[in-house]
Every structure is written in structure tokens, then in C-alpha cells.
Amino acid sequence: MNPDPFFSGLYVPLVTPFTTDLRLAPDALARLADDALSAGASGLVALGTTAEAATLTAEEQQTVVCICAAACRAHGAPLIVGVGTNDTAAAITSLRALAAAGDVAAALVPAPPYIRPGEAATLAHFTALAEQGGLPLIVYDIPYRTGQTLSAGTIAALSRLPGVVGIKHATGAIDATTVEVLGAPEPGFAVLGGDDVVLSPLVAAGAHGGIVASANLRTADYAELISLWHRGSAAPARRLGAELARLSAALFAEPNPTVIKGVLHAQGRIPSPAVRMPLLAASAGPVSRAALLAGSREGGGTCGPLLSRAAQGLDGLTAVAKGR
């Protein structure tokens, strides 16, 4: 096996843009995908938590994957697709359908959420997916959403499964398990940061990259942060990492991806900041603060003059969402 993992660098889990009446906005999604890859992202993630995948219809999910796949083909970049279910058989069916489409490099799959089956059962779940799903797997370790903690030993066992190519490490902390996982990863197994605020120290400690929701904004800077650490340029990496951590904290001041969408709308990049229930659109204050930290849109233009329009757009979205 190649000792260097295939999945390294920055992967952007794209938001799903909606119109003000909560319809999918495919043209805006295509622009976001192209913008992210043009700005230096190594690849994209479709249908992650940031995409509000649980609120999309099957047809909308297929459209999102097709749009992201087209952008990745154009840029020669890999596409990762989220597959989130606590039903092993249903997950295998979804994986097989994605594999048959031929445009997906890997699936991002959480430990079975809500059920909390235990580590032995979680390992059996991923073993079945790896053997029967037909796609490389990136384990999504996010215990504050799944309710299932994975020990360093279980992660090591997962990393040895044929077809498991990486992990999105989003445990909410850099702790003893993190250090052990980063200390001696299996050859070819990618450790990708998933907690945006601590991305910089995680990459400094040895992570291969990150799946970073905040990188819907300032994509080039998040890509550069990872590159700086990999090149050993510690001083500029620390400075940039501290700056981007402040942005990430602002973007997660309210539930993801509400603030991110508010800022993207303020920058004129999506037609509306709308989210689907049970989320509600972010309030104007957090959006304004995050927009200031996000700065100008990559490629030109400033978001400042658009902030008042964005704040106006936020007003009334709760009522629209309730009417969906």
C-alpha cells in the first residue's frame, strides 16, 4: 500500500443553496463547487451535514451529487459523498448506488447514529460496508452527533479494514485518543480534521488535511493553512491558523450551516440565506460579525455594502420556512 494517503489537503463540504421559497438553487451550487476547487481545495464533499442532506429529497440529493461530480471531473478532483444512516443494509444499498454512478471517490459514513451499538458492533457495521458497499470509506467520527465514542484501538482496527481509507476526526477536542491516532496511522490511511476551530493544531500534530465547513468561505486561506504546516512553515501557519480559528468560531456561533449561508448570501454568492426546518436562518448579528472576519470575496468585491441586504433577507425567513 502507498504510505501516503490519497485523501490529503482541504475538502470543502458544500452548503446546499436554496431560493427564498426553499427550492434547490442548482446554478448557485455549481458556482460554489467551481469556486472552491479553483481556490485550491483538493476535493469536495456532497451531502454532508453542512449540505442539510437530511432535508433533501432523493431527487435533490441526486442533483447535488451530479453537480458536484461535474465540477470535480472538470478540475480532476475527487468527490466524497456523505452516507448517513444507522441501518447497515440501507447504507450498503446507498453505497452500491453511488458506486454504480462511477463519479464518487469515497463515501463519508458516520458511526451508526442514535442507536449507540457499541464499538464491536460499529466495527462490524463498517466491515460489512467495506466488504459489500463497493466504495472506499472515510469513517466520520463525531460522537457529539452520533452518541458513539470510538477508542484509538477501534480506530486502528477500522484503519486496517480493506476499503477504509480515512477518518474525519471531529471529536470536539485534541486529546489522548487524537495523539494516539496521529502517532502511527496505518499506511495509506488519512486522518482529516473535522473540527474547524482546531484545524491548525490538528494538522500541526500530523493530520493529513481537513473536511472543513468554514472553507465555504476563504477557501484559499484554509488550503494554504494546511499547505504551510505540511511544508514546515510553522510561524506563518500559526498566525493564519489563529485568524481562521476566529472566523470558524464566528461561523459556528449558531447551528451549522446557518451563519455560513448568511455570509455567502451577504457576498452575493447564493440567492438566499434560507435553510430548511428544523434549522432556522441565522440572526443578523452573528452573520454580520462572521462576514467581517470572512473579508472580501476571493476574486474581488467586498461584502460590506451587501450586509444590510443580507440582514433584510434574514427577516421573514423563519415564516417562510414554517410554510414549507
Side-chain angles (χ1 to χ4, degrees):
M1 180 183 289
N2 188 331
D4 297 322
F6 175 76
F7 294 98
S8 62
L10 175 68
Y11 291 83
V12 181
L14 294 176
V15 303
T16 302
F18 299 131
T19 61
T20 54
D21 58 353
L22 294 172
R23 290 178 292 109
L24 182 67
D27 291 344
L29 177 60
R31 287 192 297 271
L32 291 178
D34 183 70
D35 285 350
L37 294 170
S38 297
S42 298
L44 302 177
V45 179
L47 303 184
T49 306
T50 305
E52 302 172 73
T55 72
L56 301 177
T57 67
E59 182 179 358
E60 287 171 333
Q61 290 183 1
Q62 185 177 20
T63 299
V64 167
V65 171
C66 288
I67 290 169
C68 293
C72 286
R73 282 196 304 272
H75 287 266
L79 173 63
I80 301 168
V81 176
V83 175
T85 176
N86 51 19
D87 178 354
T88 302
I92 290 170
T93 299
S94 297
L95 290 170
R96 287 176 174 172
L98 289 172
D103 291 319
V104 180
L108 179 64
V109 184
Y114 187 74
I115 291 177
R116 302 177 65 187
E119 293 192 83
T122 298
L123 181 59
H125 171 77
F126 278 104
T127 299
L129 301 190
E131 290 177 348
Q132 302 175 49
L135 269 182
L137 304 178
I138 297 173
V139 177
Y140 191 0
D141 184 14
I142 185 164
Y144 61 85
R145 289 191 185 274
T146 65
Q148 176 69 65
T149 299
L150 301 181
S151 67
T154 296
I155 293 170
L158 287 167
S159 74
R160 292 190 290 269
L161 290 176
V164 175
V165 295
I167 186 167
K168 179 180 177 181
H169 183 72
T171 62
I174 296 176
D175 56 15
T177 297
T178 309
V179 173
E180 189 171 347
V181 168
L182 291 171
E186 193 75 10
F189 182 77
V191 180
L192 302 172
D195 288 312
D196 296 14
V197 173
V198 295
L199 174 67
S200 184
L202 196 66
V203 179
H208 301 97
I211 297 175
V212 185
S214 302
N216 278 272
L217 299 151
R218 292 184 62 175
T219 309
D221 287 336
Y222 282 96
E224 176 66 6
L225 173 63
I226 293 169
S227 179
L228 284 169
W229 281 119
H230 288 172
R231 298 199 308 263
S233 301
R238 287 193 193 97
R239 287 193 296 270
L240 181 57
E243 180 184 338
L244 293 178
R246 289 191 291 272
L247 171 60
S248 291
L251 291 172
F252 280 79
E254 295 189 11
N256 183 47
T258 61
V259 180
I260 293 174
K261 280 190 155 184
V263 177
L264 287 170
H265 177 58
Q267 293 182 337
R269 300 176 63 192
I270 60 176
S272 139
V275 291
R276 288 180 176 171
M277 290 184 73
L279 292 174
L280 297 176
S283 49
V287 171
S288 296
R289 287 190 290 273
L292 290 173
L293 292 169
S296 62
R297 176 181 176 181
E298 290 159 342
T302 59
C303 63
L306 295 168
L307 288 178
S308 60
R309 179 170 64 82
Q312 292 170 6
L314 289 165
D315 295 337
L317 276 174
T318 299
V320 173
K322 289 179 178 178
R324 175 177 174 257

